[in-house]
Amino acid sequence: MAAEPTAQQLTAQHRPTLDRALEAIRTRAYWSPHPEHPKAYGENGSLDLAAGKAAFDALLGTRLDLGQPGTDDWVGGETSPYGVELGVSYPHADLDVLLPAMRAGMRAWRDAGAETRAMVCLEILKRISDRTLEFAHAVMHTSGQAFMMAFQAGGPHAQDRGLEAVAYAYAEQVRTPDTAEWTKPQGKRDPLALTKRFTPVPRGIGLVVGCNTFPTWNGYPGLFASLATGNAVLVKPHPRAVLPLALTVQVARQVLAEAGFDPNLVALAAERPQALGSARAGETPIGEGIAKALATRPEIRIIDYTGSTEFGDWLEANARQAQVYTEKAGVNTVVVESAGDYKGMLANLAFSLSLYSGQMCTTPQNLLIPRDGITTDQGPKSFDEVVADLAQAVDGLLGDDTRAAGLLGALVNPGVKDRLEAAGGLGEVALASRAITHPEFPDAVVRTPVIVKLDGAKPDAEAAYMSECFGPVSFAVAVDSATDAAELLRRTVREKGAMTVGAYTTSPEFEEQVREVCLEEAAQLSLNLTGGVYVNQTAAFSDFHGSGGNPAANAALTDAAFVANRFRVVEVRQEA
């Protein structure tokens, strides 16, 4: 039996990783300690892939006992978007028992200091990383992501975001020294002398309200930011995507106990299956489940939420005792003014619209194109030609059903399918959606994107393009001019928010115009992407996910503001 790690051993093992992460967030250069290919995990290639699948299969139909206090029932009900009944049951908590138990371990966790907390967090992430192939299947069968995306986004990329949060949390806590000797001269009298001690003090219990589509990628930043700053963390997964976060809680509790801390610093709050619905992915409908009741309890002092605008707004207005971090809905926009690499633009946009069936908070929805057309390296292109060529590019990308299934994944809930089917009635369909039969999972609901043409000058069209239509739905919006496109972009971001903005132009003047709009409205901008980087993908340690400056989100993943208010510095001073 392996010996339990000491703080010194954890520091020796993980301090170099933390130092490298601190350097990465300073330089914003590429870095990741987590490999992006499945064969990098283990030494046996396909045998390790099979072992990861076997580990996931062994979880099906089991009870995941986390050893939490206050368990009064067992709940479950997850069904994979691929048609697999998971059959895993989880502890249902009596909150009046669990929450006091979580607080009990916070004093020792606070007193351990920023470095020890960071090292324990990095050990948790390492053990999760060791099980990446198992986690990939858990993410795939709760989110509907295709395996490779579930592996990358749910594994190394999520772990990167967790590590990034730990690095920012550590940097903010050590900004103030532990102690200071303060001496003030008094002329002929003896100087005044004080010894001052400064302690980062956690706010309390953090609540992570998980989403359906990216349970680990969206869940890890808040979880590790709160834990690294001394807070206990209660994880409330989306009822359709419990397993990945329940496994995370299991690993965290094990590491905390082995390191000599109370495992109840991290706990799970699974809810009963009646909370399931066909709402937007990530949404916990108001009045259902336990998120609303949890969010207003006095013990909950921090909330991290990803999901619908409706519930996010409710949290911001009603969870007044807590520091609330939300990522909500937005209307992501791409402006096409001109193109220096027309084919590259089409290929890049086709991939962006197709990836995970558009079920990403960063997927473009509105494509603003001058109605008189654009200039390109292939000659002038009319509005209709641009839209038709984009439709053809999507068709070409998804022409082979096996390839398409590997890129699209499955629709995560019935609400996405309903919106997709209704979109065709909103305007002229430039690209119709079609059903695809998944080669491994015939019960999966797989659909290609729809592209609908709208006239931006018509009021009835505005109701469509000014509302989020989450899923594989995009609107090609004809506008009077590039300047009108920039102003519509500004209004969209200001009124509805945006996680991402894209623009294509060969004009320095228009590029500056779009850049200024995004700076003034606090929207993250990608210019002229034609290669292997896409507007709906962000890299930890370098890219900011959201800005916190427009209605789509009140926080960015990850920056100093995301971590600094999870603790306060308390001073104790006495005469030297």
Side-chain angles (χ1 to χ4, degrees), residues 485-495 513 516-518 520-521:
E487 287 310 306
L488 179 53
L489 168 64
R490 181 190 299 277
R491 184 162 70 91
T492 302
V493 177
R494 179 175 295 175
E495 296 180 9
Q513 187 177 359
E516 190 61 25
V517 168
C518 290
E520 291 179 355
E521 304 303 330

Side-chain angles (χ1 to χ4, degrees), residues 12-378:
Q13 182 178 2
H14 296 304
R15 183 71 215 203
T17 302
L18 178 61
D19 288 341
R20 188 64 185 85
L22 292 167
E23 177 68 7
I25 63 175
R26 185 187 70 81
T27 64
R28 317 305 296 179
Y30 170 77
W31 177 71
S32 171
H34 303 112
E36 291 185 305
H37 195 283
K39 291 184 179 179
Y41 293 81
E43 301 176 355
N44 298 310
S46 61
L47 293 178
D48 291 300
L49 284 168
K53 176 64 162 58
F56 167 76
D57 288 341
L59 294 168
L60 303 181
T62 65
R63 174 176 287 183
L64 198 67
D65 191 346
L66 301 175
Q68 295 182 177
T71 297
D72 59 13
D73 197 2
W74 295 89
V75 297
E78 294 158 291
T79 297
S80 166
Y82 292 97
V84 178
E85 192 77 32
L86 300 192
V88 183
S89 57
Y90 309 95
H92 182 274
D94 179 341
L95 297 174
D96 291 330
V97 176
L98 180 59
L99 292 175
M102 295 183 70
R103 286 193 59 86
M106 285 184 59
R107 179 176 178 176
W109 186 236
R110 177 202 70 199
D111 292 346
E115 182 173 59
T116 295
R117 288 194 295 270
M119 296 305 107
V120 172
C121 288
L122 265 61
E123 177 66 14
I124 295 170
L125 285 165
K126 178 193 179 298
R127 300 218 193 156
I128 292 171
S129 178
D130 290 343
R131 296 171 60 181
T132 290
L133 296 175
E134 175 188 356
F135 271 70
H137 289 282
V139 171
M140 173 183 176
H141 284 286
T142 52
S143 70
Q145 295 174 28
F147 175 76
M148 275 304 296
M149 184 175 185
F151 163 77
Q152 291 185 337
H157 296 172
Q159 295 153 24
D160 283 350
R161 284 296 185 190
L163 175 55
E164 179 184 42
V166 174
Y168 271 101
Y170 176 82
E172 289 305 306
Q173 289 174 96
V174 300
R175 187 182 301 279
T176 302
D178 293 337
T179 61
E181 297 300 327
W182 183 87
T183 303
K184 180 179 180 180
Q186 295 293 298
K188 294 181 179 181
R189 293 174 292 169
D190 292 337
L192 300 177
L194 295 176
T195 296
K196 302 183 180 184
R197 300 181 64 86
F198 304 97
T199 303
V201 174
R203 281 187 171 270
I205 298 175
L207 173 65
V208 174
V209 183
C211 70
N212 194 173
T213 47
F214 290 89
T216 55
W217 198 99
N218 277 108
Y220 283 5
L223 192 166
F224 285 99
S226 286
L227 191 61
T229 49
N231 303 277
V233 182
L234 182 60
V235 178
K236 205 286 313 171
H238 189 281
R240 293 181 181 274
V242 183
L243 185 57
L245 289 177
L247 294 175
T248 301
V249 170
Q250 182 184 57
V251 173
R253 290 175 63 85
Q254 179 184 12
V255 171
L256 284 163
E258 290 181 8
F261 296 101
D262 190 336
N264 295 321
L265 287 165
V266 178
L268 185 77
E271 58 189 304
R272 302 186 191 282
Q274 60 261 35
L276 294 173
S278 60
R280 177 188 182 271
E283 178 178 350
T284 304
I286 292 178
E288 296 183 15
I290 62 173
K292 188 176 181 182
L294 266 173
T296 53
R297 287 190 66 118
E299 302 97 328
I300 300 299
R301 304 304 302 275
I302 303 166
I303 298 174
D304 289 277
Y305 170 75
T306 301
S308 73
T309 296
E310 181 185 18
F311 194 63
D313 288 347
W314 186 91
L315 287 171
E316 292 171 0
N318 292 278
R320 304 301 294 273
Q321 85 292 349
Q323 182 73 29
V324 179
Y325 301 91
T326 59
E327 179 190 315
K328 301 177 288 188
V331 177
N332 301 318
T333 300
V334 174
V335 178
V336 182
E337 185 270 342
S338 54
D341 180 359
Y342 186 63
K343 289 184 177 179
M345 178 191 77
L346 294 173
N348 191 280
L349 285 175
F351 188 92
S352 296
L353 300 182
S354 302
L355 184 62
Y356 185 29
S357 299
Q359 299 170 120
M360 303 173 69
C361 63
T362 50
T363 300
Q365 175 179 301
N366 293 343
L367 309 173
L368 307 185
I369 307 168
R371 66 178 73 253
D372 292 335
I374 64 172
T375 59
T376 79
D377 60 326
Q378 305 291 312

Side-chain angles (χ1 to χ4, degrees), residues 352-421:
S352 296
L353 300 182
S354 302
L355 184 62
Y356 185 29
S357 299
Q359 299 170 120
M360 303 173 69
C361 63
T362 50
T363 300
Q365 175 179 301
N366 293 343
L367 309 173
L368 307 185
I369 307 168
R371 66 178 73 253
D372 292 335
I374 64 172
T375 59
T376 79
D377 60 326
Q378 305 291 312
K381 300 287 182 179
S382 68
F383 171 85
D384 288 337
E385 286 176 319
V386 173
V387 179
D389 289 345
L390 178 59
Q392 186 176 6
V394 174
D395 253 347
L397 178 67
L398 304 177
D400 177 77
D401 279 10
T402 299
R403 172 182 167 82
L407 184 60
L408 296 168
L411 299 189
V412 72
N413 67 43
V416 177
K417 182 171 178 286
D418 292 344
R419 283 189 291 274
L420 173 62
E421 292 175 347

